Amino acid sequence: MKKYLLTVIAFVIGAVCAEAQTLNVCNDRVTYSFPAVEMNEAEVTADGNIVIMGRIFTQEEMKNVWVDTRVLDDNTVVVTYNDVEADVVIAGNIAHYVNATVSGSKVNIVQSDEVDDTVGEITYLLTGNSSDGSFTANGSYKSTLRLEGLDLVCTDGAAIEIKNGKRLKVSIAEGTENTLGDDASGSQKGCLSCTGHIEFVGKGILNISGAKSHAIYAKEYVTMKNCTINVRASVKDGVNCNQYFSLNSGILNLEGIGDDGIQVSYKDSENREEEDTGAFLMSGGQINVTVTADAAKAIKCEGDMTLTGGKITASVSGGGVWDSEKLKTKGASCLSADGNIHIDGITLVLNATGSGGKGINTDGTLTVASGDISIGTTGGIFAYVNGKTYDNYTGNTDNLDSDQKSSAKGIKADGNITINGGSINVVTTGNGSEGIESKSEFTINSGTIVAYTNDDALNSGSHLYINGGDITVVATNNDGIDSNGNLYIQGGTVRAFGARSPECGLDANEEEGYSVFFTGGNILAVGGSNSTPSSSQSTQAYIIGSGSVSAGRTIAIKNGNEVLVSFVVPENYTASSSGFPGGGNSGSILVSCPDIQSGGSYTLLNGTSSSSVTARTTGGGGMGGRF
């Protein structure tokens, strides 16, 4: 028998070398494809088995052998789905390292632990379609999964499950559209699930739905470059990963999400490795995400969020919830970080429509260096009062602590907010909704800020510093700028419109002994009242007048015929909502600029009306000139 097998092998080798380039050995829909140049290495063992390139075949397995001209690249495994069946072809040079089994259209791969740098990375190419198929791979070395026109739905688990703690590169072939789906049954964590980390690359399209849990799950990090991924639906998160998420380029669309659009967590709560940061990083590309779940987040990370390029368009429409374990209310957010948020050069279009919803929410600090930020919220206050929840609470909130209520806000940070540039536009319309709030210090050094709000437009829990920038804020039911510490205006242009008295255009926490300080900048403050400086540390003079202000008017200060400073009231400013109904009630008009000198007499212009005013650096309890 051994002599017979040697004769057969010699014949096959001759055929391969003379007429073809490949010897194929097939067993249960798994084919091993050996190149002709390696066939001289074939041998027969003492027990009658045949060894080709390190792979041992029994005599029974050698009954289905043929030769052809096809050449399969080294380190390649091709999986072709054909509805209820699947075929696997394994390159001969890795035949010794890859074991495949096929049951119908379910393919299971076991990659030997002997695979390392000497063997090289193995690429698994998946193509074809199946309505009841899957691909499962196990191993301990990095690998590549290449999708080339794959349409794969699994009815009892993950469509693709990689049980490998190393890096998985998912290459989505250019010019191809690929679709993955799973079923509500099974115990899978994701339709595409990996116990290692996933790097999405390529210029093709991947459509994916998660009917059981997440659409994409990785126990470690996820990165994206060039490709387009469409999450069509997901019972839980669209993308759930640990360590970090990074988007360099490409497009990620997420819709039909039952929880968070993207959630990034720490892999380990203690003794974390350097890369286990829980961070969300974006330097380019686009993310478009729509979430409708209560208290859900379009993008959520346990670490820092760093946004330096690209564009995010996010919409959350879920309401608030009461967390009975942590004993606090929670609202939905477009962007949410447990760490710090840094924005530099990205475009953000964020909308929150539910009760207590927020555009940007961070437990740490927020820094804006540059970028274009547009935020809108329409929800009111979510509150937990006497064991009941209220989606749009309109009662007295003075007796509720911060854990019992969640107000809608454009931007909220528990730590400091620092704005060094960029453009920020915030509109909030729901009851009690605020524009930009820092629970600590708030500093504006440059940039353009426009905020139209129901409650405070700008709010700081401590001191608020305006050193530069161009700021226009309008609050229909509270203060334009509200500082719970001192309010320092040292440069820039400030237009602040508040509601009727006792609300203000500018409000420092005078009840606690704080004040406003003017040392620079062009300032217009309109409201039922305005805080005025009470210390000699305030060196820039100002004037106080009173009257009714309406949209489109020009308010200016003249010294003789010279206009020292001029402001145009915003077109969508509504006087009746800010304390001057029908021109019947006068409010406070405060103007300051570097050219005003204390003790000087000036003319305050309000549209076509004018009045004589005297400048001062402190005090100013009276209204000054009236119109």
Side-chain angles (χ1 to χ4, degrees), residues 185-201:
S185 62
S187 59
Q188 68 273 20
K189 291 186 176 181
C191 178
L192 169 55
S193 177
C194 178
T195 57
H197 38 277
I198 305 175
E199 297 178 358
F200 289 101
V201 299

Side-chain angles (χ1 to χ4, degrees), residues 476-561:
T476 58
N477 286 292
N478 215 315
D479 301 322
I481 299 178
D482 182 7
S483 174
N484 285 284
N486 290 323
L487 172 56
Y488 300 90
I489 301 180
Q490 302 172 135
T493 298
V494 178
R495 308 168 194 85
F497 298 83
R500 60 177 53 86
S501 185
E503 313 307 344
C504 309
L506 300 178
D507 183 13
N509 189 0
E510 295 168 319
E511 296 86 351
E512 300 293 331
Y514 296 103
S515 181
V516 296
F517 296 85
F518 301 148
T519 58
N522 297 318
I523 305 164
L524 169 65
V526 176
S529 61
N530 279 296
S531 295
T532 56
S534 60
S535 168
S536 60
Q537 296 178 45
S538 183
T539 59
Q540 179 169 292
Y542 62 93
I543 64 90
I544 285 283
S546 64
S548 176
V549 177
S550 59
R553 279 190 186 179
T554 296
I555 297 177
I557 293 292
K558 292 180 67 177
N559 182 13
N561 293 322

Side-chain angles (χ1 to χ4, degrees), residues 104-117:
S105 56
K106 292 179 170 59
V107 176
N108 183 67
I109 299 287
V110 177
Q111 184 176 286
S112 172
D113 290 342
E114 296 177 10
V115 173
D116 55 21
D117 287 328

